[in-house]
Amino acid sequence: PNRSVVLWNVMIAGYCRHGHGEVALQLFLRMQEEGVKPDKVTLTSLLNACACVAALEQGIHIHSLIIARGFESDVFLASALIDMYAKC
């Protein structure tokens, strides 16, 4: 995997784990601005961040990214999607 994706994943997951979902979502915007494509780990962490802060619109956007990237059959992403929609 691309090192820059791994570093972004660590930062996003860390902020999410410590209750800073908004910051995690802002980091994702920066990640996109820098042209780094999210992987399954990124998207799972972002769905968790959306669930933590009840960010339904961002969660729907991430869901569309999952579909666009062809990741919809991933079990971890499917679980995170269910959790996000249930909490939002």
Side-chain angles (χ1 to χ4, degrees):
N2 185 342
R3 276 187 181 207
S4 58
V5 171
V6 173
L7 294 175
W8 284 106
N9 287 345
V10 169
M11 290 190 300
I12 289 169
Y15 277 111
C16 183
R17 252 186 226 121
H18 293 285
H20 301 287
E22 295 280 345
V23 177
L25 293 170
Q26 291 171 356
L27 280 173
F28 177 60
L29 294 177
R30 265 186 72 195
M31 178 181 169
Q32 287 184 307
E33 288 170 1
E34 293 190 18
V36 179
K37 292 194 185 260
D39 62 10
K40 293 176 186 179
V41 175
T42 314
L43 297 170
T44 302
S45 293
L46 290 169
L47 288 172
N48 291 333
C50 290
C52 288
V53 297
L56 180 61
E57 285 186 39
Q58 290 93 334
I60 291 170
H61 173 71
I62 293 163
H63 191 175
S64 69
L65 289 174
I66 291 167
I67 293 168
R69 300 286 312 269
F71 295 154
E72 59 264 37
S73 64
D74 184 83
V75 175
F76 295 106
L77 283 170
S79 294
L81 278 167
I82 291 167
D83 185 59
M84 186 273 299
Y85 281 119
K87 290 180 179 175
C88 289

